[in-house]
Amino acid sequence: MKKISETITNLPFSGIRKFFDIASEMDNVISLGVGEPDFLTPWNVREEAIYTLEQGKTVYSSNAGILELRQEITKYYKEQYNIEYDPKTQAVVTVGASEGIDLALRVLLNPGDEVVYHEPCYVSYRPCIVMAGGVPVAIDCKDVNNFRLTADELIEKITDKTKVLLLSYPNNPTGAIMEKEDLEKIAKIIIEKDLYVITDEIYSELTYAESKHVSIAELDGMYERTIVLNGFSKAFAMTGWRLGYALGPEEIIRQMIKVHQYVIMCAPTTSQYAGIEALKNPGDSVIKMRNDYNARRNLMVNGFREIGLDCFEPLGAFYLFPSIKSTGFTSLEFCEKLLYGQNVAVVPGDAFGASGEGFIRCSYAYSIDNLKRALEKIGNFVSAL
């Protein structure tokens, strides 16, 4: 038989899933691995979904998504960031923000175009670039810079073939954020080099700095060259609903809808009605979740520092990225020994790119009791070394 696609067969499976397949076969494991809120989707959102099901609202929506949802999404970005998008022509509802990454890359890239992105990063970026025919070019962000992308690091990686910068802040796995002044320095280079930007802002609601999240699309000269990706998974605890969206220039969004209509048709209708309710009547659920995460964040940062592991203070998302270099183990060795020795599962840092070696990712989207037990066990493990 003829060989199947070498592009796909040469892609590795996710380093996260590979490790947690081992953990799933063990008993009494405390897992700090999965990036999923431990809160329930707010009741009013679930109730709206149930109501629409009872009413039989289960048919396909338009390819771009229910117009009312697109109107609420664009209204949200206008209110939060003073960025104005036309809901009819500049918004598409996707199956999670993950589909948005794929759509944007497919539309922007020709074979051989280079995409610059920063590591450590979400595990899907590099594979999605490759599957879209692009060439991934990683920038190793450093803990001394709190894992922020600097203008100097960016300019070093840009060539005549560079077409896109893929930006992701607040960051998974590090919890790093970019302040406005950081983005302004980056934006000057993007404009000078005439690049597109895909900005993944799925954790935009989960920031703990004094200033709120800034979208690079807000900055002068960036609106017409930026595709914004976001969704409902993290801020509204709606991971399983698989609901995201993309905002951007009309021509790019139109082409993204074209790909979306052929491979997906439309996002789940029930999820879209739930998303309308989440945006129209958020109540205090988002604020409550953010406050709870902030308390857990402080607990974990202090806990790791007391254990003796270096840990910079993350100001976004719900992850810590402590250094384990002082133990002498590689990231994988540390995680395996911790798992088998103390029944605590965390993710090796190199699952998020080569620059993650020497670190581990710990999610604090878990109960305070579980986090305290995990810290105690990690402390016992490190002390025994």
Side-chain angles (χ1 to χ4, degrees):
M1 295 180 67
K2 293 182 178 180
K3 291 183 178 180
I4 61 176
S5 168
E6 292 183 2
T7 299
I8 303 304
T9 55
N10 288 335
L11 289 177
F13 281 96
S14 165
I16 301 176
R17 292 300 171 189
K18 181 179 178 181
F19 186 77
F20 279 93
D21 284 345
I22 302 172
S24 66
E25 297 175 358
M26 298 175 59
D27 295 326
N28 302 316
V29 171
I30 301 173
S31 174
L32 304 185
V34 180
E36 180 164 22
D38 65 329
F39 297 95
L40 293 175
T41 302
W43 169 243
N44 65 305
V45 177
R46 288 179 281 148
E47 186 177 42
E48 178 64 17
I50 294 168
Y51 175 75
T52 61
L53 287 172
E54 290 175 338
Q55 296 297 306
K57 295 181 178 181
T58 56
V59 299
Y60 294 130
S61 75
S62 71
N63 295 136
I66 297 171
L67 179 57
E68 185 181 1
L69 176 56
R70 285 180 280 149
Q71 289 170 334
E72 290 299 325
I73 289 167
T74 55
K75 178 183 176 183
Y76 169 80
Y77 258 77
K78 172 65 175 174
E79 292 175 348
Q80 293 291 317
Y81 308 113
N82 198 32
I83 313 174
E84 196 157 350
Y85 294 100
D86 184 340
K88 293 182 179 180
T89 61
Q90 292 184 280
V92 56
V93 180
T94 59
V95 181
S98 295
E99 190 209 352
I101 297 167
D102 181 49
L103 294 180
L105 288 168
R106 287 210 230 185
V107 166
L108 291 178
L109 297 181
N110 289 310
D113 286 340
E114 292 180 353
V115 180
V116 178
Y117 69 103
H118 51 92
E119 288 185 342
C121 68
Y122 181 49
V123 295
S124 291
Y125 294 154
R126 186 181 187 91
C128 282
I129 295 166
V130 172
M131 289 189 288
V135 178
V137 179
I139 298 174
D140 295 337
C141 292
K142 300 172 179 62
D143 55 339
V144 294
N145 296 325
N146 288 339
F147 294 104
R148 296 181 182 187
L149 174 62
T150 69
D152 289 340
E153 290 168 333
L154 175 60
I155 198 69
E156 286 179 2
K157 295 292 185 176
I158 293 176
T159 72
D160 291 341
K161 295 182 179 180
T162 307
K163 193 171 192 179
V164 177
L165 168 64
L166 179 48
L167 200 62
S168 176
Y169 289 97
N171 181 259
N172 170 15
T174 65
I177 66 168
M178 294 279 277
E179 302 281 4
K180 185 177 181 180
E181 54 267 29
D182 301 316
L183 293 172
E184 287 173 337
K185 295 174 184 176
I186 298 295
K188 289 181 181 178
I189 297 172
I190 293 165
I191 295 168
E192 177 187 339
K193 299 297 183 179
D194 192 25
L195 306 181
Y196 289 106
V197 175
I198 301 171
T199 174
D200 182 351
E201 302 183 0
I202 191 67
Y203 293 98
S204 59
E205 288 283 1
L206 300 179
T207 59
Y208 315 105
E210 291 184 6
S211 56
K212 70 173 188 176
H213 171 75
V214 175
S215 173
I216 196 168
E218 297 178 59
L219 305 183
D220 290 343
M222 293 306 301
Y223 177 83
E224 60 270 21
R225 61 179 69 247
T226 302
I227 299 98
V228 176
L229 306 179
N230 210 322
F232 294 77
S233 293
K234 311 304 180 182
F236 295 99
M238 294 176 66
T239 53
W241 300 79
R242 305 314 303 132
L243 190 64
Y245 54 88
L247 304 168
E250 180 177 344
E251 178 58 21
I252 294 175
I253 294 298
R254 191 166 74 91
Q255 299 305 322
M256 290 174 67
I257 292 171
K258 183 191 297 182
V259 180
H260 175 73
Q261 72 179 187
Y262 284 129
V263 300
I264 296 294
M265 179 70 76
C266 65
T269 307
T270 303
S271 297
Q272 292 191 59
Y273 285 116
I276 293 169
E277 175 65 19
L279 289 173
K280 290 180 75 171
N281 299 296
D284 61 355
S285 59
V286 175
I287 296 172
K288 182 182 184 305
M289 280 190 278
R290 183 167 57 233
N291 289 341
D292 284 355
Y293 286 138
N294 193 28
R296 301 175 194 184
R297 180 182 70 98
N298 291 329
L299 169 73
M300 293 294 283
V301 170
N302 292 332
F304 272 105
R305 288 174 177 173
E306 289 174 5
I307 289 169
L309 296 178
D310 291 336
C311 183
F312 92 100
E313 182 181 3
L315 293 175
F318 42 58
Y319 307 104
L320 265 72
F321 208 60
S323 171
I324 50 87
K325 295 175 183 177
S326 61
T327 67
F329 293 132
T330 66
S331 295
L332 181 59
E333 288 170 342
F334 184 96
C335 292
E336 287 180 337
K337 292 178 184 296
L338 178 64
L339 178 60
Y340 291 119
Q342 294 289 335
N343 279 33
V344 175
V346 296
V347 185
D350 61 347
F352 307 95
S355 62
E357 177 54 56
F359 298 85
I360 58 174
R361 190 193 78 170
C362 303
S363 170
Y364 50 87
Y366 297 93
S367 70
I368 289 287
D369 287 342
N370 270 348
L371 296 178
K372 287 181 176 178
R373 288 171 56 214
L375 283 171
E376 181 180 357
K377 287 176 171 288
I378 295 170
N380 292 338
F381 173 70
V382 173
S383 296
L385 299 179

